[in-house]
Amino acid sequence: QTQLVESGGGSVQAGGSLRLSCEASGRTNGIDCMGWFRQSPGKEREGVAFINTHTQTATYADPVKGRFTISQDSAQNTLFLQMNSLKPDDTANYYCAASNSNGACRRDPTAASTFNFWGQGTQVTVSS
């Protein structure tokens, strides 16, 4: 099993920045891809950013392109999401996710169904 714990959420004003972290523990050597999702009340969960842990290839959802950056520190088993130029629409609970299915990661690295390990989430609130 792989456990994921997010941190770094908080409240900021529009235009500000936050850096989310996701620490993985347990069985981490089999993780093939990781990602960040978010969900706000009344809205469906949406994918934000994704990374292939072997190739470091990153993929971003259109609303965050150019503003968010996903990265990983393999030595520390930690995933990051640097969020700049934050907007009120970015307000949500942000979840870290990981997958140990190389096939699923290659077929669709952005689908929620690809990921079989999830964190508890960290709240991000952006005020105007």
Side-chain angles (χ1 to χ4, degrees):
Q1 288 292 324
T2 300
Q3 293 78 44
L4 304 173
V5 178
E6 304 95 335
S7 61
S11 297
V12 295
Q13 289 192 325
S17 299
L18 282 174
R19 189 191 196 203
L20 305 184
S21 299
C22 171
E23 184 174 352
S25 60
R27 298 188 65 176
T28 60
N29 58 354
I31 294 175
D32 295 302
C33 61
M34 298 187 75
W36 290 96
F37 291 78
R38 66 186 183 186
Q39 188 169 20
S40 53
K43 293 185 178 180
E44 293 188 357
R45 179 176 52 189
E46 64 172 339
V48 175
F50 311 89
I51 190 166
N52 183 294
T53 60
H54 305 296
T55 66
Q56 301 297 295
T57 300
T59 306
Y60 297 93
D62 286 344
V64 307
K65 281 182 180 177
R67 300 188 297 123
F68 290 11
T69 303
I70 189 171
S71 62
Q72 68 171 103
D73 181 339
S74 299
Q76 300 294 325
N77 292 320
T78 304
L79 182 73
F80 301 101
L81 184 67
Q82 178 67 42
M83 306 186 295
N84 298 329
S85 301
L86 283 162
K87 305 174 182 179
D89 283 349
D90 295 320
T91 295
N93 204 5
Y94 283 70
Y95 298 90
C96 173
S99 173
N100 59 2
S101 172
N102 193 32
C105 288
R106 290 199 291 179
R107 282 191 301 272
D108 193 347
T110 67
S113 58
T114 290
F115 299 91
N116 48 347
F117 302 106
W118 292 82
Q120 294 300 305
T122 184
Q123 179 68 34
V124 171
T125 303
V126 184
S127 58
S128 57

